[in-house]
Amino acid sequence: MKDFNELVLSAKAVTIFKNVINDKGISALIELLQCDDTDKEYFLSWYSNFVSALYEQTDNLTEYINTLLQNDENIYVKQSAKGEVSPLLQKAVKYELELFEELSQLKCEDIKSICPVLVYLPEWKNSDLSVYNEYTTKIEAIRTTGYGIYATHRMFLYKDNEIIPVKYPDPQRLSQMSGYELERQKVIDNTMALIEGKPCNNVLLYGDAGSGKSSTIKAIVNEYWEMGLRLIEIKKNQLYSLPDVIEKLADNPLKFIIFIDDLSFSTNDSDFGALKAILEGGVAGKTDNLAIYATSNRRNLVKENFNDRNGDDIHLQDTIQEVMSLSARFGLKITFSKPNKDLYLSIVENLAMQYNISIAKDELAIQAEAFALRNGGRSPRTAKQFIEYLASKSE
C-alpha cells in the first residue's frame, strides 16, 4: 500500500471519477489522511465527518466506495456504452480504480494511527470485495445493466426537467395476470423487438377502465428489466418536454419505454401537436432505443362533441382527419375490452388461487358477480379488488 501522502496526491489528481472523490465521505477521508498528530481537534472533526457520511449508507467502507463507483456517470461509462473508449482514457481509469481499491481497504486502525487519541472512535468494516474487479465487470455488461441511476432502478418519472427514479415501483408481474393473453402477447412481442434492436412500433393500449392496460406495461418492464429495459412515465402536461427527454436518452445503451398513462385531448389542446410531431414527422424524432407506449379510454384519443362534426369549419373533413390522425401514428393499437362474465370469473378464480382463497367455485362466482354489480361492473381491477377484500376478511 502507498503511504498516506501518496494516496492524498493521487486523490487530488483524480479526473474521471471526480464526482466520487468529491463525495462528502470520501473528501472527509482524504482530509483525514492529511492530518498529523499535532492537531487532535482537527483530526476528530474530520473523523466524525467521515464516519457520519459512511454510516448514512453503510458501515462497510469497501461497499460504500463500490456503490459510489457503480453509480457514477462519467465520460468513461458513456464512451464504454458507445464502444468508443480511447486508450488514454482507459489508462487513466485503470490508475484511478487502483487508487479507489486502496482507499476501500483502509481500516480503522490505519486511520486511528495517524493521530492517537484517548476517546472512543466509531469503527467501520471492510470486505474482500475488489472494487476494481466489480467495476470492470460492470463495464463489460453495460449494455444491459446501464450506468448511473439506470443501473439500480427500472422505473422513472419526469419531474422538474429531470428524470427521477421511482424507489418503490409497482411490483406487478406477468405471472400474476390472467385473461387478455393475446392482447398482452402483442405488447410483449413488440417490446422484445425493442430490446433486441429490431424495428418496433409505438403502442396504444385503449379500452375500458380497469382492464389492465397500465398494469400490462409495468409488468412487462418488471419481467425484462434485467435485459436492459427501463420505463419513464411522462404526464400529459409534460408532452412538450418529450424532445428533451429523448435527447437525454439518445446515447444511453439501454432500451426505454416512454409511458403516457390515461391519454386524451380536447380538440384545441396544445399538447396534441407536441405528441403528434414526435410520433411522426417532427424534426426531433424518436431514437432507436425507445418506444412510446400510451394508454387511453378513447381509441382516437381526442374528446369530440357533436359540434365538432356539425360546426362552422369550412373544411370539416380536414378537421375530422386531424382529430383522428394522432392515434393513426401509433403503429400498434390494442383493444382491452370489458370482460364478459366467463372471462371475469376466470380472472377471479386465478387470483383466488394466487391469494390462497378457499371458497367453493359456485359461491366464489356468486360473490364476485355481486361485488362487480356494486362496484361499477366487471373488470380485472374489480376482480382484484374483490379477491383482496376476501383476503382481508380471512386474516
Side-chain angles (χ1 to χ4, degrees), residues 17-131:
F17 296 99
K18 202 72 174 176
N19 293 330
V20 177
I21 214 70
N22 288 335
D23 169 79
K24 63 180 181 180
I26 301 304
S27 60
L29 178 59
I30 300 305
E31 288 292 336
L32 275 175
L33 296 177
Q34 299 178 77
C35 293
D36 56 37
D37 60 0
T38 61
D39 193 341
K40 298 187 184 305
E41 289 187 8
Y42 183 84
F43 172 81
L44 290 173
S45 175
W46 282 111
Y47 192 100
S48 174
N49 290 342
F50 164 61
V51 179
S52 175
L54 179 66
Y55 278 8
E56 286 180 12
Q57 306 298 326
T58 178
D59 62 357
N60 189 310
L61 177 58
T62 311
E63 292 178 358
Y64 182 83
I65 291 178
N66 186 60
T67 299
L68 290 174
L69 292 172
Q70 293 286 323
N71 293 340
D72 187 48
E73 292 190 37
N74 55 60
I75 186 60
Y76 178 64
V77 293
K78 293 176 181 178
Q79 288 194 11
S80 296
K82 296 179 183 179
E84 302 173 352
V85 182
S86 73
L88 290 177
L89 181 57
Q90 190 76 54
K91 184 178 180 180
V93 167
K94 177 179 181 296
Y95 277 97
E96 292 187 11
L97 285 176
E98 289 174 349
L99 165 67
F100 287 111
E101 182 84 18
E102 293 195 52
L103 291 176
S104 74
Q105 295 302 323
L106 286 173
K107 296 178 170 51
C108 300
E109 295 75 16
D110 298 328
I111 303 301
K112 289 179 181 180
S113 66
I114 295 173
C115 184
V117 292
L118 297 177
V119 298
Y120 170 77
L121 295 178
E123 300 182 341
W124 62 86
K125 299 184 295 188
N126 303 85
S127 64
D128 294 333
L129 178 77
S130 169
V131 299

Side-chain angles (χ1 to χ4, degrees), residues 174 184 187-188 191 216-224 229:
L174 290 173
R184 203 150 30 243
V187 188
I188 292 172
T191 305
T216 291
I217 295 172
K218 289 180 280 190
I220 288 173
V221 173
N222 286 331
E223 196 74 25
Y224 299 109
L229 181 66

Side-chain angles (χ1 to χ4, degrees), residues 243 273-286 329:
L275 180 57
K276 182 179 174 183
I278 291 296
L279 291 173
E280 185 180 314
V283 174
K286 75 179 185 67
R329 281 170 160 76

Side-chain angles (χ1 to χ4, degrees), residues 134-145:
E134 287 288 310
Y135 193 83
T136 53
T137 299
K138 169 241 178 82
I139 292 298
E140 291 171 359
I142 197 168
R143 301 197 71 81
T144 53
T145 60

Side-chain angles (χ1 to χ4, degrees), residues 166-179:
V166 176
K167 292 184 179 180
Y168 305 105
D170 187 333
Q172 180 75 60
R173 301 303 296 256
L174 290 173
S175 59
Q176 299 171 322
M177 307 182 77
S178 59

